[in-house]
Amino acid sequence: MVHQRFAWPFGGQRASLCGSFTGWREFPMGLVGAEFQVLLDLPPGVYQYRFLVDGVWRCDDTKPIVRDEYGMISNEVLVTLVENNIHPVVQLEPSPNRRMNMDDGTILATMPTEPPLQNSGVQIAVFRHRVSEILLHNTIYDVVPVSSKIAILDARLPVKQAFNIMHDEGLALVPLWDDGQGTITGMLTVSDFVLILRKLQRNIRVLGHEELEMHSVSAWKEAKLQYYGGADVTAMQRRPLVHVKDSDNLRAVALTIIQNEISSVPIFKSSTDISGIPLLNLATLPGILKFLCSKLQEQPEGYTILQNQISSIPIGTWSQHTGRASNRQLRTSRLNAPLITCLDFLLEDRVSSIPIVDDNGSLLDVYALSDIMALAKNDIYTRIELEQVTVEHALELQYQVNGRRQCHTCLSMSTLLEVLEQLSVPGVRRLVAIEPMTRFVQGIISLRDVVTFLLG
């Protein structure tokens, strides 16, 4: 059990506490100094509560607020077994900011002009709990349309033809159909294209240029296991395709994508009818985040953490100059850097993009792993030496094929809500955090970073 203090510091003649921990029965509070207090022993968990002050239900606007399915507003608290969660009852001096005016029975509360900051760890934990509740109570059908068009490639297609189709259709990945097994058995991704180019350009014989016309995708997948599978090739071959069921809740789907370090996951029909293609659609982090943002915006007043600056939240990858800790090193590249080095960074760090900066570290552009598909247009990759291509040249090819694009940025003082809203826009996969005047790159926040933070 944990000692948890509840306080109502905003005046009144009498006050009681009601909460999910009391079965919503009134629990009288004592007046200590200028505020009403009560100390309860509670097991760890998340609880909702309200105050009954002079016969009127009230909530503390300086604490997390949630709204239930019936529209009822309550405060919410996370009780944990940590020392700083144990609050002794103390005598407090009256504060001029804490008073209550009475006008014909209507309570008017004057809250402190600068409310005390809630413990950030508790605030984050409560927010994550609410996010999980939203995702747990919704399924994939709340994110993807019941009927939609999805591209599927036959695993027997030649590698060259498969990548040409991916480029023409603007696909970063595509499911592979195995006619022999009668099901989806894998995914062809941009990373496969990069690995093929590396082998071709470094004269390690896997596929020759002429063989790309005939060599099948399935054969390439087997060759990739031999070269990149290490000593555990057999285990990799046995690993089934990562997928989810259409009956899975959104939290389980998001965790599947995050934990397997993939960009999307096939959704298989859970129906016992196995006739036809079992694939329903692909679940992606952008779709899940967009749905979640729409839910959070229905009651933004209940999520005070959304107004916190991202500089105070453990999210993203940051430069050492900011003094913030990150799980990985923030890499940047220059325009004159070899493209192959940039691609190696992306594959080694298992990230999807890298900021391109000038000599002062100011942002010029972003090179994304999916940009490599521009080399598939008209078989450009067969006419270049990858080792000699610079990042600048690669970006120029990207502009020629797909046109220039906007580089999406944010500031360290941007709020979490602003970051979520930007990343929920279709096509936005990452935000580069910059200094407003110099555009010096301070960090990068990806969709994966955001969802990982939200799920804890």
Side-chain angles (χ1 to χ4, degrees):
M1 303 293 283
V2 179
H3 294 306
Q4 180 68 39
R5 183 173 69 90
F6 296 89
W8 176 260
F10 307 114
Q13 299 301 314
R14 58 187 181 276
S16 299
L17 176 71
C18 298
S20 55
F21 41 79
T22 68
W24 294 104
R25 295 187 299 273
E26 294 182 34
F27 200 98
M29 303 178 71
L31 186 62
V32 180
E35 67 181 18
F36 291 95
Q37 297 185 8
V38 64
L39 186 66
L40 300 178
D41 284 335
L42 298 176
V46 177
Y47 301 98
Q48 294 77 43
Y49 63 97
R50 293 191 291 273
F51 301 95
L52 185 62
V53 183
D54 295 340
V56 179
W57 290 111
R58 301 297 305 274
C59 287
D60 185 345
D61 293 339
T62 68
K63 299 294 191 297
I65 294 176
V66 296
R67 188 190 304 270
D68 65 18
E69 57 185 319
Y70 305 107
M72 184 69 72
I73 291 177
S74 303
N75 285 123
E76 189 169 59
V77 63
L78 173 69
V79 178
T80 58
L81 288 171
V82 294
E83 292 182 4
N84 61 7
N85 196 59
I86 301 174
H87 303 283
V89 178
V90 296
Q91 299 286 338
L92 297 180
E93 295 297 325
S95 169
N97 288 329
R98 294 171 178 173
R99 58 189 177 87
M100 184 166 287
N101 298 326
M102 308 297 290
D103 182 14
D104 296 332
T106 301
I107 295 180
L108 304 173
T110 303
M111 298 299 181
T113 56
E114 295 183 1
L117 292 176
Q118 186 192 16
N119 179 276
S120 60
V122 173
Q123 194 179 30
I124 290 173
V126 170
F127 180 60
R128 284 172 172 168
H129 172 76
R130 300 301 300 178
V131 167
S132 291
E133 285 293 309
I134 293 173
L135 297 180
L136 282 169
H137 290 87
N138 292 277
T139 70
I140 203 66
Y141 286 107
D142 296 298
V143 175
V144 300
V146 177
S147 178
S148 60
K149 176 184 175 182
I150 182 171
I152 300 175
L153 296 183
D154 193 317
R156 297 171 298 182
L157 273 178
V159 170
K160 182 177 179 179
Q161 184 180 351
F163 284 127
N164 285 337
I165 292 174
M166 289 179 65
H167 170 266
D168 294 342
E169 297 296 326
L171 303 172
L173 76 169
V174 63
L176 296 174
W177 172 263
D178 189 311
D179 200 48
Q181 300 185 42
T183 188
I184 303 296
T185 58
M187 304 285 286
L188 187 64
T189 69
V190 168
S191 296
D192 288 311
F193 187 51
V194 174
L195 294 176
I196 285 179
L197 292 184
R198 290 173 71 191
K199 291 302 182 185
L200 286 173
Q201 297 290 329
R202 292 176 178 177
N203 297 319
I204 302 175
R205 183 171 178 75
V206 179
L207 302 173
H209 287 301
E210 69 284 353
E211 292 180 276
L212 292 178
E213 301 279 0
M214 301 175 56
H215 215 80
S216 69
V217 172
S218 58
W220 154 247
K221 287 289 189 179
E222 293 177 5
K224 185 176 74 168
L225 285 176
Q226 295 297 325
Y227 280 93
Y228 296 98
D232 200 21
V233 173
T234 304
M236 291 182 65
Q237 290 174 325
R238 290 200 205 98
R239 189 178 73 173
L241 172 68
V242 176
H243 68 280
V244 296
K245 297 291 186 65
D246 59 357
S247 57
D248 290 342
N249 63 66
L250 289 181
R251 187 176 189 277
V253 175
L255 283 173
T256 298
I257 296 175
I258 294 296
Q259 292 171 352
N260 287 279
E261 297 185 313
I262 53 181
S263 59
S264 64
V265 61
I267 309 166
F268 282 9
K269 301 173 185 176
S270 56
S271 171
T272 56
D273 180 15
I274 59 175
S275 59
I277 297 178
L279 181 67
L280 176 68
N281 212 315
L282 296 177
T284 64
L285 293 182
I288 295 174
L289 183 62
K290 182 179 180 180
F291 170 80
L292 181 59
C293 283
S294 68
K295 289 294 183 180
L296 294 176
Q297 289 169 351
E298 291 177 1
Q299 42 178 314
E301 72 281 358
Y303 306 101
T304 56
I305 191 176
L306 291 175
Q307 301 305 322
N308 287 14
Q309 296 182 359
I310 56 173
S311 59
S312 66
I313 298 174
I315 186 173
T317 302
W318 297 86
S319 166
Q320 294 180 349
H321 297 90
T322 64
R324 297 188 57 177
S326 297
N327 292 331
R328 63 166 62 96
Q329 177 185 355
L330 175 66
R331 294 186 188 270
T332 59
S333 186
R334 305 290 179 85
L335 287 174
N336 59 359
L339 176 62
I340 191 68
T341 302
C342 184
L343 295 175
D344 286 344
F345 285 159
L346 294 174
L347 292 176
E348 291 169 7
D349 292 353
R350 301 183 70 84
V351 295
S352 62
S353 62
I354 185 170
I356 309 303
V357 300
D358 62 15
D359 292 340
N360 297 317
S362 299
L363 181 66
L364 298 173
D365 208 328
V366 172
Y367 191 84
L369 193 61
S370 56
D371 290 341
I372 196 69
M373 293 306 298
L375 300 184
K377 183 177 177 61
N378 299 325
D379 303 332
I380 294 176
Y381 64 90
T382 65
R383 302 189 298 276
I384 63 173
E385 292 294 333
L386 199 59
E387 300 279 0
Q388 299 177 9
V389 175
T390 64
V391 171
E392 183 176 19
H393 184 200
L395 285 171
E396 289 174 353
L397 290 173
Q398 160 70 17
Y399 300 152
Q400 293 172 11
V401 173
N402 299 313
R404 287 187 174 271
R405 69 214 166 174
Q406 179 182 358
C407 190
H408 301 280
T409 61
C410 67
L411 306 177
S412 62
M413 64 187 73
S414 298
T415 66
L416 177 59
L417 178 60
E418 291 169 341
V419 168
L420 294 181
E421 289 176 339
Q422 282 186 267
L423 288 173
S424 64
V425 175
V428 181
R429 297 291 183 268
R430 65 203 64 85
L431 300 176
V432 181
I434 59 172
E435 290 183 350
M437 299 299 293
T438 65
R439 291 181 63 84
F440 181 82
V441 174
Q442 295 179 310
I444 188 167
I445 302 174
S446 68
L447 272 165
R448 182 178 302 276
D449 293 330
V450 167
V451 178
T452 298
F453 166 75
L454 293 177
L455 296 178

